[in-house]
Amino acid sequence: MLKKKFICIITAICMTFCFTACGKKEDSVDNTVPKQTTEIITESKDTGATDDTEDVPKENEEELSEEVSEENTEENTEENTEENTEETSETSDNDVENISEKSGKYVDFNEMCFYINDKKYVLGKTTLQEMIDDGVPFDENDLTNAGNNLNPDYKSQGFRIRLGEYYTAQVFAFNDTEENKPISECYINYVYLPVKEDEEPNILTFNFPTDMTMEELKENSGEPTNEKHTDFEDGRYVDQLEYENQSEIYIRACSYKFEFISGKLKYINIEYMP
């Protein structure tokens, strides 16, 4: 009788251990499923594959989103906050420095800019609408076309800026997106100024003087990419100096073009291409 009781007790203890071991194994399996699912989803997203994700149960996806969100939020919030704060402060400081500092070069492809009433406008960044909102003295007839559609990879018509009674400069907008956009929403990519001896373009200025000589330009910015000299029978001569920086997307290059007539700067063309 005692022997039977002892056998029953031993049997009960063994069954208890078996149940306990099975419970830990099941917990282990449940915990590993979301991690495997994460890897599959990540790989298929990066590679564009879809076959692997078909075998992943939707229940696991829901568990994954909840568990990963909670775990990552708790574990990484403090670290990300500290890192982002440091990175943001550094980036902000750098941005301020980049905006405020000038290279001193007349030809600067890092920031192709001009100024209207001493306010800086950067080719490739400033939109036509920003200039309109700032009250830049555009020709009223040109502004009626600011809302017109501009096709992808097209440059707009010129928008004249009144510098004097019979004196204007022009800016052009460019659409480098894949969709049609109103001209006003596109950025300025081209500025053109004819230089007049008897009239200073006080409204429009650059990082270089408009009365500089060819020698001063070369001394400051080096030899041009292209240079052409033409003599005329009446004794006049024309020098065209072009500085280029090849675009990463388009055939046309970013460029500064200066045309001197008989040694005096006459035309300025600056074009940005992404």
Side-chain angles (χ1 to χ4, degrees):
M1 199 61 184
L2 290 174
K3 185 177 181 180
K4 288 184 179 181
K5 287 183 179 180
F6 180 78
I7 292 173
C8 290
I9 292 171
I10 293 300
T11 302
I13 292 173
C14 291
M15 291 179 66
T16 301
F17 279 118
C18 289
F19 284 132
T20 303
C22 289
K24 288 183 179 179
K25 187 175 182 180
E26 289 175 359
D27 290 342
S28 175
V29 171
D30 291 341
N31 289 335
T32 57
V33 170
K35 293 181 181 178
Q36 293 174 352
T37 306
T38 304
E39 293 176 0
I40 293 172
I41 293 175
T42 303
E43 291 175 0
S44 64
K45 182 176 181 181
D46 293 341
T47 60
T50 56
D51 295 339
D52 292 339
T53 57
E54 293 178 359
D55 295 332
V56 179
K58 292 184 178 180
E59 295 178 358
N60 288 342
E61 293 179 0
E62 293 175 357
E63 292 176 2
L64 168 67
S65 61
E66 293 178 359
E67 293 181 11
V68 170
S69 299
E70 293 175 0
E71 292 177 2
N72 288 346
T73 301
E74 293 176 357
E75 293 176 2
N76 298 332
T77 298
E78 295 181 0
E79 294 180 2
N80 289 341
T81 301
E82 294 176 358
E83 291 177 0
N84 290 339
T85 301
E86 293 176 358
E87 292 175 1
T88 302
S89 61
E90 291 177 1
T91 302
S92 300
D93 293 339
N94 290 335
D95 288 342
V96 172
E97 291 176 1
N98 289 335
I99 292 173
S100 61
E101 288 182 358
K102 293 182 180 180
S103 65
K105 296 293 184 182
Y106 296 162
V107 175
D108 184 3
F109 289 106
N110 293 322
E111 188 176 60
M112 305 175 74
C113 64
F114 60 98
Y115 302 81
I116 301 291
N117 293 325
D118 295 327
K119 180 168 182 178
K120 181 190 290 186
Y121 296 101
V122 182
L123 300 184
K125 294 182 180 180
T126 301
T127 65
L128 177 62
Q129 188 61 53
E130 289 178 56
M131 298 184 68
I132 295 173
D133 293 341
D134 288 340
V136 172
F138 284 108
D139 182 274
E140 292 296 330
N141 293 327
D142 292 346
L143 285 183
T144 60
N145 300 316
N148 290 354
N149 219 32
L150 189 60
N151 293 332
D153 301 327
Y154 269 77
K155 184 167 67 178
S156 75
Q157 63 180 43
F159 286 80
R160 290 170 292 180
I161 300 174
R162 293 291 179 186
L163 305 178
E165 187 175 359
Y166 301 104
Y167 189 21
T168 62
Q170 292 186 61
V171 294
F172 299 76
F174 183 67
N175 181 7
D176 65 353
T177 69
E178 298 179 354
E179 299 178 354
N180 293 339
K181 291 177 65 176
I183 299 175
S184 60
E185 296 180 8
C186 298
Y187 61 68
I188 301 299
N189 86 308
Y190 196 109
V191 56
Y192 161 74
L193 172 70
V195 180
K196 288 188 176 183
E197 291 185 24
D198 57 345
E199 193 165 358
E200 290 291 331
N202 296 322
I203 294 175
L204 172 62
T205 56
F206 301 91
N207 285 335
F208 51 82
T210 56
D211 61 351
M212 66 180 174
T213 64
M214 289 174 50
E215 291 72 22
E216 290 172 338
L217 173 59
K218 290 182 179 180
E219 182 180 352
N220 175 274
S221 300
E223 291 296 322
T225 308
N226 303 301
E227 184 173 0
K228 182 180 180 182
H229 177 85
T230 306
D231 290 311
F232 294 90
E233 294 181 355
D234 59 2
R236 293 181 302 117
Y237 57 93
V238 175
D239 290 282
Q240 296 170 314
L241 281 66
E242 181 177 10
Y243 295 82
E244 288 188 342
N245 186 32
Q246 187 57 51
S247 165
E248 296 180 358
I249 301 175
Y250 296 93
I251 297 175
R252 293 180 66 88
C254 297
S255 63
Y256 285 78
K257 298 179 182 179
F258 303 95
E259 185 170 318
F260 294 83
I261 298 180
S262 299
K264 294 184 179 181
L265 182 58
K266 184 63 177 178
Y267 300 105
I268 299 169
N269 296 267
I270 305 177
E271 182 177 22
Y272 166 82
M273 293 299 292

